């Protein structure tokens, strides 16, 4: 199973799409029923969908997998009494069928068996390849982590004082929960081909009038290079590269393994973090409720 896409709703679809394409570097993957689809260069039909709405929201965080993987999540969810939408077909790039499922704090996860594989495009330094992780703010991080492990079948990769990192394939984390007072989207991370591509992205955003709210730097858990920005539609987005690939021999770290020296918030120590901007943006996107069946 892999992280596939994030389904966003925004107040001004046209300007959000313009930013994601012209500045962030995603490619047009078509529009259907008033929803714009955007892709990266990896073999995924799309990685972000953008629909117009009265308020910003996350419609779903979508994972794609095999029939067996999706069926086993559905059966564990039913056994655990988790609220699920019906199995249905999705009319979107890649097609396929699947279902929506509600997390402990109303998070909406979607699991899809894709019908049509997408063609991988040539790598370009100025374009994201794919979405590599999504971080969700949670009020009860332990409960959400148990849910991700026991119901969704994710594996724990690392825990720090404020965050829990989970994986569904070899990428160190596809999903992470951040301790918060609200349940909302913390940020979406887009994988770039290398450090140079991340730095070129920082420059491209600067040219367009956007200063980073954190980074460039290198994280502890996952060891990935990062640079965070608040997009004009209000969500925090991250360029990242070199994210660690791990397997079951990985030693799961705890809070004592991930301590920084005073005044340091990453390996390099060169960046400052705009906590106010990140915390404000982290409240903008709440999860939309699963429609009643
Ligand atoms: Fe991140």
């Amino acid at each position: 199973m892999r992280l596939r896409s994030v389904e966003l709703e925004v107040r001004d679809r046209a300007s959000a799409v313009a930013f994601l394409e012209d500045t962030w570097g995603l490619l047009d993957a078509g529009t259907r029923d008033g929803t714009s689809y955007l892709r990266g260069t990896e073999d995924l039909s799309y990685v972000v969908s953008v629909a117009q709405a009265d308020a910003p929201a996350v419609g779903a965080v979508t994972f794609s997998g095999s029939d067996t993987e999706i069926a086993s999540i559905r059966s564990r969810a039913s056994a655990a009494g988790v609220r699920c939408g019906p199995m249905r077909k999705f009319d979107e790039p890649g097609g396929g069928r699947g279902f929506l499922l509600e997390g402990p704090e109303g998070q909406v996860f979607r699991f899809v068996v894709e019908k049509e594989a997408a063609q991988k495009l040539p790598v370009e330094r100025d374009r994201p390849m794919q979405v590599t992780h999504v971080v969700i703010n949670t009020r009860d991080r332990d409960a959400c982590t148990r849910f991700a492990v026991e119901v969704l079948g994710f594996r724990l990769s690392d825990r720090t004082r404020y965050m829990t990192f989970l994986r569904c394939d070899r990428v160190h984390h596809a999903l992470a929960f951040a301790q918060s007072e609200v349940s909302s989207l913390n940020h979406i991370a887009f994988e770039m081909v290398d450090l140079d591509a991340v730095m070129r992205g920082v420059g491209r955003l600067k040219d367009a009038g956007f200063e980073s709210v954190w980074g460039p730097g290198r994280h502890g858990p996952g060891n990935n290079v990062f640079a965070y920005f608040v997009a004009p539609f209000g969500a925090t987005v991250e360029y990242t590269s070199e994210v660690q690939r791990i397997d079951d021999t990985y030693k799961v770290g705890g809070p004592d393994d991930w301590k920084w020296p005073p005044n340091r918030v990453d390996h390099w120590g060169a960046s400052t973090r705009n906590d106010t901007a990140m915390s404000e943006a982290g409240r903008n996107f709440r999860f939309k409720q699963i429609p009643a069946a």
Side-chain angles (χ1 to χ4, degrees):
M1 195 166 65
R2 71 200 280 202
L3 176 59
R4 206 281 297 272
S5 56
V6 183
E7 325 307 324
L8 295 177
E9 296 189 355
V10 300
R11 286 201 184 92
D12 183 346
R13 174 169 66 111
S15 76
V17 169
F19 169 81
L20 289 168
E21 286 183 11
D22 303 342
T23 306
W24 199 246
L26 292 173
L27 291 153
D28 179 14
T31 298
R32 298 186 195 187
D33 292 333
T35 298
S36 298
Y37 296 90
L38 302 157
R39 64 167 291 174
T41 57
E42 275 298 300
D43 58 344
L44 292 165
S45 302
Y46 79 93
V47 297
V48 176
S49 69
V50 186
Q52 178 103 18
D54 294 336
V58 180
V61 176
T62 303
F63 295 86
S64 67
S66 66
D67 267 314
T68 318
E69 285 168 328
I70 300 317
S72 60
I73 292 171
R74 191 167 175 85
S75 95
R76 283 195 300 269
S78 313
V82 170
R83 185 159 176 249
C84 293
M87 276 301 283
R88 50 169 286 223
K89 282 186 182 166
F90 295 107
D91 177 23
E92 60 193 20
R97 58 197 301 274
F99 68 102
L100 295 155
L101 164 163
E102 194 175 272
E105 297 180 11
Q107 304 98 334
V108 182
F109 299 103
R110 190 166 67 124
F111 297 91
V112 176
V113 183
E114 282 187 359
K115 198 168 153 203
E116 305 141 29
Q119 194 79 31
K120 194 168 174 165
L121 304 175
V123 167
E124 290 184 58
R125 283 220 155 75
D126 294 328
R127 298 199 183 283
M129 300 158 72
Q130 59 191 334
V131 171
T132 184
H133 63 261
V134 174
V135 176
I136 296 173
N137 290 326
T138 54
R139 296 188 305 268
D140 188 340
R141 186 161 51 122
D142 290 343
C144 291
T145 300
R146 275 197 304 278
F147 171 84
V149 170
E150 290 167 13
V151 177
L152 306 184
F154 282 59
R155 287 169 194 224
L156 180 63
S157 295
D158 270 301
R159 278 184 310 116
T160 69
R161 279 176 66 198
Y162 303 106
M163 291 187 64
T164 302
F165 299 85
L166 296 138
R167 68 185 187 275
C168 62
D169 56 12
R170 294 203 58 200
V171 179
H172 178 277
H173 53 287
L175 180 66
F177 295 122
Q179 191 63 50
S180 179
E181 289 159 7
V182 292
S183 297
S184 57
L185 176 69
N186 182 296
H187 71 267
I188 305 167
F190 295 79
E191 186 172 26
M192 304 300 277
V193 67
D194 55 19
L195 167 59
D196 194 59
V198 171
M199 294 306 289
R200 288 173 64 104
V202 173
R204 188 170 54 255
L205 270 283
K206 192 170 184 179
D207 287 346
F210 299 92
E211 290 293 334
S212 75
V213 288
W214 188 20
R218 187 183 287 280
H219 280 308
N223 201 39
N224 44 322
V225 170
F226 64 85
Y228 292 82
F229 298 87
V230 176
F233 54 89
T236 304
V237 285
E238 174 189 2
Y239 282 137
T240 191
S241 72
E242 301 185 11
V243 58
Q244 207 174 352
R245 264 64 177 176
I246 61 174
D247 59 24
D248 290 344
T249 61
Y250 185 78
K251 185 185 167 294
V252 177
D256 288 341
D257 298 308
W258 297 112
K259 279 184 181 161
W260 297 117
N263 302 321
R264 189 162 274 232
V265 282
D266 79 306
H267 275 304
W268 294 345
S271 67
T272 49
R273 187 166 61 189
N274 184 339
D275 285 324
T276 308
M278 290 186 81
S279 145
E280 280 172 11
R283 292 171 178 268
N284 287 338
F285 280 77
R286 309 295 171 108
F287 281 88
K288 198 180 166 184
Q289 277 205 316
I290 295 181

